[in-house]
Amino acid sequence: MALDVKPKTGGMRDVLASLPRMGQKLESFTAANTSSEKPVEPKERSRKWDEVEKLRDDIETSVENDNYEKSLEEANKILDLDPKDVHALTVKAWALGELGRHEEAIEWYDKVLEIEPKDVDALFNKAWALGELGRDEEAIECYDKEL
């Protein structure tokens, strides 16, 4: 008997709404650029930042419209620029879950949780995906961590 729990789709909208629009630091992007042998010029960094911001706007629209394929596409574009972007990782995992690709969603929620171990939405939605696969004991463990 699988747990009958629905994913927090409203939660994803809350996550998106809570992200600061301008001025959010892309810490992993900056760290990656400062550790490279050849530093990225400020102009190029600014272009990439602008591109990420545009993609974030596109993701918000896709999520609001429950367009999972488009959300996944936009998240992948951001992850190409910044592989540790928690927002994009979360959206990707959520979209995969909504598309019924629960195993993949769990893998991506795990990536979110490596960066943000107490991310309540990631824990809840990972538990939901585990429940959808009949992995109830693991799902309960996630719910316990969320509490």
Side-chain angles (χ1 to χ4, degrees), residues 54-72:
K54 166 73 171 92
L55 291 167
R56 285 178 194 265
D57 290 341
D58 293 344
I59 281 180
E60 285 186 47
T61 301
S62 299
V63 168
E64 288 170 4
N65 294 320
D66 291 329
N67 186 339
Y68 312 123
E69 291 288 346
K70 184 73 172 168
S71 297
L72 186 58

Side-chain angles (χ1 to χ4, degrees), residues 62-125:
S62 299
V63 168
E64 288 170 4
N65 294 320
D66 291 329
N67 186 339
Y68 312 123
E69 291 288 346
K70 184 73 172 168
S71 297
L72 186 58
E73 178 184 319
E74 300 302 336
N76 283 330
K77 288 178 184 177
I78 291 175
L79 292 170
D80 286 342
L81 296 170
D82 183 7
K84 293 188 183 241
D85 186 296
V86 173
H87 174 236
L89 291 167
T90 303
V91 170
K92 180 170 184 163
W94 170 78
L96 288 166
E98 291 294 330
L99 291 167
R101 295 163 58 183
H102 303 297
E103 285 289 348
E104 290 175 85
I106 291 165
E107 290 174 24
W108 288 96
Y109 282 124
D110 284 340
K111 291 178 188 223
V112 172
L113 294 167
E114 284 175 19
I115 299 167
E116 297 287 338
K118 304 257 186 217
D119 186 304
V120 175
D121 286 323
L123 287 167
F124 182 91
N125 287 328

